[in-house]
Each structure stands twice: as structure tokens, then as C-alpha cells.
Amino acid sequence: MTSLDSVLDKDGVRLTVEDAVATVTLTNPAKRNAQSPALWRALAEAGRALPGSVRVVVLRGEGKSFSAGLDRQAFTPEGFDGEPSFLDMARGPEAELDATIAEYQEAFTWWRRNDIVSVAVVQGHAIGAGFQLALACDLRIVAEDVQFAMRETSLGLVPDLTGTHPLVNLVGYARALEICATGRFVHAEEAERTGLANLVVPVDQLDASARDLAAALLAAPRDAVVETKALLSGAVSRTYEEQRTAERAAQGRRLRDLAGIAD
């Protein structure tokens, strides 16, 4: 695949692929890329539709904001057309509510698959579900005007779209609790200093910076990157000795592969 091909374009999500790089774009700038269940299903579908040749996935949002979070229409009695309202969901059986939330979370889980490296390119507001979507990715390039915020608690809710785990891993428990409980904005300087952002650039340099990072990620052999990502992502849950063992096993696989020896 040598040209820019559109794989999916529906419900505010567009997936395009050019060689080994896929781009997932949120395409509703008029509503600051506010999120809905339909958008989440489209994001999950984008993950399933990725060609096997893709190694890097870039996530971006059109317009001045990456994503202002959940569309507030979700909390109205009528909800979204063709969707149960959140209020109706809350009145239903607990098992059904749990299953529905699990389905919504699928839009946020595939970005950390070992066979890809995902990069969120974030400008303007990334609030609530928007913050959690940026956190779902492996890496984040942010504009100088970025404003992260976790506003769920101000609505009487909790962050439930997989964002709490990466947030604590990146900034630590105490700062994560303070960010979530206060709902305050995290700006570019703090994001870079605390590890939320890998790189901060002017807004007009976001796309070029994303292209440069994608090229750098593609420079190493794919299998070596896949094994390295698996090692690093599992390191937090392993002991030091378990990590040493995992390193030896991974390196053995790489050496046998380079020598042309089949397992």
C-alpha cells in the first residue's frame, strides 16, 4: 500500500493508511470532537480494520481541540438518536450496565497492542474522555496550547474509559488523584515535566513532528520494536528477576531469528 488509502470514515472517525503508518482522525471540529457511543464503536472498528502492514498509528483531532470529552447530550433524557440514554442505562440491570461500559472501553484498549506504536497528537482541549483517549496511546506529542483535564468527578462520575491506569503510571498516584479530584487543567509545561507529553511543539508544527516521530519509530526492525514494547509494558508488573528472565527470553528469540533458526 503506497498511497494514502481511506479505510473507514463514519460517525466522526476517519482511518487512513499510508504504507506502515495509519492515521485515525476525529472529524467533528464543530463540536470540538465531542465523543459519543457511536464514535466509540467507530474507534473500536478502526482498530479491527488496521492492515497487518501498519506499525505506527497516529491519532489526531480536526480543528482547535483534540476532544472536549463526552458529548453532554448523553446526560439528557432523550440521549442520542438510536441509543439508550445514560439515565436509562443507569436504571437497568447492573450486569447490563457493566457490559455496556466494557463495550465503550474497547475504543480505548487497542492502542497499546504490542504490534503497533500509537502516537496521540494533541492540541487545545483534551478533557475527560478526550484526556483518556490521549492516555490510551503509547506516546503523546502536544501543542503549546494543550489543556488536559479529567472532569468526571465534577459530574459526580469517575474516569472509566481506561485512563486511570496510564495516568497513575505516568505521573504517580498522588498527582493523579489531585488531577482527577480537582478537575484542574494540566498545561503543556507540566505535561512535559511530569511525563504526560513526550514532546511539546507549536501548534503549526504538530503534523511535521508526528511525521518525524513516525519515521524514527519505523527505522528499527519491526520485530525488535515489538519485543521491546512488550518488555517495557510488562516491566511494571514484574519483579526485577522476572524482568531479567523476560529480557533473556526476548533476546534469545531475536538472536535465533537473526540467525535464521526456527523455534
Side-chain angles (χ1 to χ4, degrees):
M1 194 174 289
T2 57
S3 61
L4 189 65
D5 293 337
S6 180
V7 179
L8 179 146
D9 194 349
K10 62 187 294 188
D11 296 322
V13 174
R14 182 171 62 246
L15 168 64
T16 55
V17 177
E18 186 172 14
D19 298 323
V21 179
T23 301
V24 177
T25 306
L26 307 181
T27 60
N28 191 5
K31 297 193 73 170
R32 295 193 298 166
N33 298 312
Q35 299 181 31
S36 67
L39 180 140
W40 293 334
R41 284 193 290 271
L43 283 174
E45 185 177 343
R48 293 190 294 269
L50 284 182
S53 58
V54 168
R55 295 180 54 188
V56 175
V57 180
V58 176
L59 169 65
R60 56 184 298 274
E62 290 183 347
K64 294 183 177 181
S65 291
F66 174 74
S67 174
L70 180 63
D71 191 323
R72 294 299 180 91
Q73 187 174 337
F75 297 104
T76 62
E78 61 273 13
F80 302 101
D81 290 342
E83 304 276 355
S85 74
F86 280 23
L87 299 177
D88 288 339
M89 286 165 44
R91 297 186 184 103
E94 185 175 341
E96 290 184 12
L97 178 59
D98 182 79
T100 300
I101 296 173
E103 179 189 355
Y104 295 162
Q105 289 176 330
E106 292 178 7
F108 297 76
T109 57
W110 62 267
W111 305 89
R112 291 179 180 262
R113 283 167 27 186
N114 285 336
D115 61 320
I116 59 172
V117 178
S118 54
V119 181
V121 179
V122 187
Q123 79 284 0
H125 293 96
I127 298 174
F131 192 6
Q132 294 187 77
L133 187 56
L135 286 167
C137 292
D138 297 306
L139 309 173
R140 280 154 295 282
I141 300 174
V142 307
E144 293 172 335
D145 69 346
V146 75
Q147 297 184 67
F148 289 118
M150 204 72 84
R151 291 293 178 84
E152 283 80 357
T153 50
S154 65
L155 299 172
L157 302 172
V158 300
D160 67 335
L161 296 171
T162 78
T164 57
H165 189 276
L167 182 62
V168 171
N169 281 346
L170 288 166
V171 305
Y173 160 75
R175 190 180 296 271
L177 174 60
E178 180 253 331
I179 288 171
C180 292
T182 66
R184 70 172 176 85
F185 285 115
V186 177
H187 299 280
E189 185 277 331
E190 181 182 357
E192 186 172 38
R193 173 167 48 82
T194 59
L196 282 172
N198 296 86
L199 181 66
V200 175
V201 299
V203 175
D204 61 1
Q205 294 180 22
L206 272 177
D207 289 341
S209 297
R211 287 193 296 270
D212 289 345
L213 179 55
L217 292 168
L218 293 173
R222 178 173 195 162
D223 289 344
V225 175
V226 169
E227 290 275 15
T228 299
K229 180 176 178 180
L231 274 174
L232 294 174
S233 63
V236 174
S237 61
R238 299 188 190 107
T239 66
Y240 180 78
E241 290 302 322
E242 288 170 342
Q243 187 69 2
R244 287 180 61 204
T245 300
E247 288 176 359
R248 295 197 301 272
Q251 193 71 298
R253 288 190 294 271
R254 297 306 313 126
L255 289 171
R256 287 192 296 273
D257 184 65
L258 291 173
I261 301 173
D263 288 331

